[in-house]
Amino acid sequence: MPVHQFPAAARAFSTAIEEMTRAPLRPEVHWTSIPAPGRMAPHTWAANGEVILHDEEVASGRLVVLHDPAGEEAWKGEYRMVVLVQAQLEPEFAIEAMLGDVAWSWVTESLELFDAESRELGCTATRVVSQSYGALAGRPSTVDVEMRVSWTPTSSDLAPHFAAWTAMLAAAGGLPPAPAQVAPLVPSHRARPRQGSANEED
């Protein structure tokens, strides 16, 4: 009977998550598990992540792993990775027309870096420029980028996909691509320390 399949599916999902989170990460990336949304799939898991460079948070985000043992037609698979990446960039990015393309390259290159094979990959990149006027004119302009990404892993080995998410965070924070546990000397672009943390609601 189908009811007997759920404990086995739950154990398989738990094992996949345990193996995924054993993946070595670069030292600037820190993550914590958080309560996962319960209605998006039969099995879910979630984490907040942040990138700390020189004691400053330069990027943050969230990962939600969805699993439906029966498969989802829209996903074209049994698993779905749903990712949020946020960073505050230098003001010159306010006039960078190609920022969306750059953000997309952070996604594709991070997946390629860890051989995280996927299908149905999609991304929305949003740039928010904040400028102050009048009594607040002395405040510096800020540029925030927010990326919402989702994809379907081609296998139940989720470790490369977890590592790819952390690589997206690192790229948004200005860190050059690097294997796990290798710290960069300088960032590739000047991400600004973020105000707040990844625990804030979207």
Side-chain angles (χ1 to χ4, degrees):
M1 295 177 61
V3 67
H4 297 306
Q5 297 177 7
F6 288 110
R11 286 195 298 272
F13 180 68
S14 177
T15 298
I17 294 299
E18 288 177 3
E19 293 177 351
M20 176 188 78
T21 52
R22 291 195 194 110
L25 303 177
R26 24 187 325 160
E28 307 89 359
V29 177
H30 306 268
W31 67 271
T32 55
S33 60
I34 59 173
R39 297 184 179 181
M40 299 176 68
H43 306 286
T44 60
W45 181 88
N48 276 341
E50 58 185 10
V51 178
I52 305 297
L53 186 64
H54 307 311
D55 297 323
E56 298 281 0
E57 179 187 302
V58 295
S60 64
R62 184 174 299 121
L63 167 67
V64 178
V65 182
L66 310 177
H67 177 50
D68 187 339
E72 285 282 345
E73 183 177 354
W75 305 348
K76 292 184 171 55
E78 297 180 6
Y79 287 91
R80 189 73 175 168
M81 315 295 282
V82 181
V83 160
L84 171 71
V85 175
Q86 298 172 313
Q88 188 173 96
L89 308 181
E90 288 295 310
E92 53 260 35
F93 278 93
I95 57 174
E96 178 54 73
M98 300 296 289
L99 181 56
D101 293 336
V102 171
W104 174 241
S105 73
W106 295 339
V107 172
T108 58
E109 291 173 6
S110 295
L111 290 168
E112 292 172 1
L113 180 64
F114 291 97
D115 295 323
E117 296 186 4
S118 65
R119 59 172 70 97
E120 298 301 308
L121 172 64
C123 172
T124 299
T126 303
R127 178 181 60 186
V128 177
V129 180
S130 299
Q131 294 179 287
S132 301
Y133 299 92
L136 303 178
R139 293 184 178 179
S141 298
T142 61
V143 181
D144 293 275
V145 62
E146 179 178 281
M147 300 154 53
R148 295 180 180 271
V149 193
S150 61
W151 68 90
T152 299
T154 59
S155 76
S156 60
D157 180 9
L158 305 181
H161 302 272
F162 185 71
W165 167 59
T166 65
M168 294 175 201
L169 290 174
L175 306 187
Q181 299 181 331
V182 175
L185 296 177
V186 294
S188 60
H189 70 256
R190 292 174 293 167
R192 306 183 71 183
R194 279 187 48 76
Q195 304 299 315
S197 70
N199 293 316
E200 295 175 344
E201 294 296 325
D202 299 343

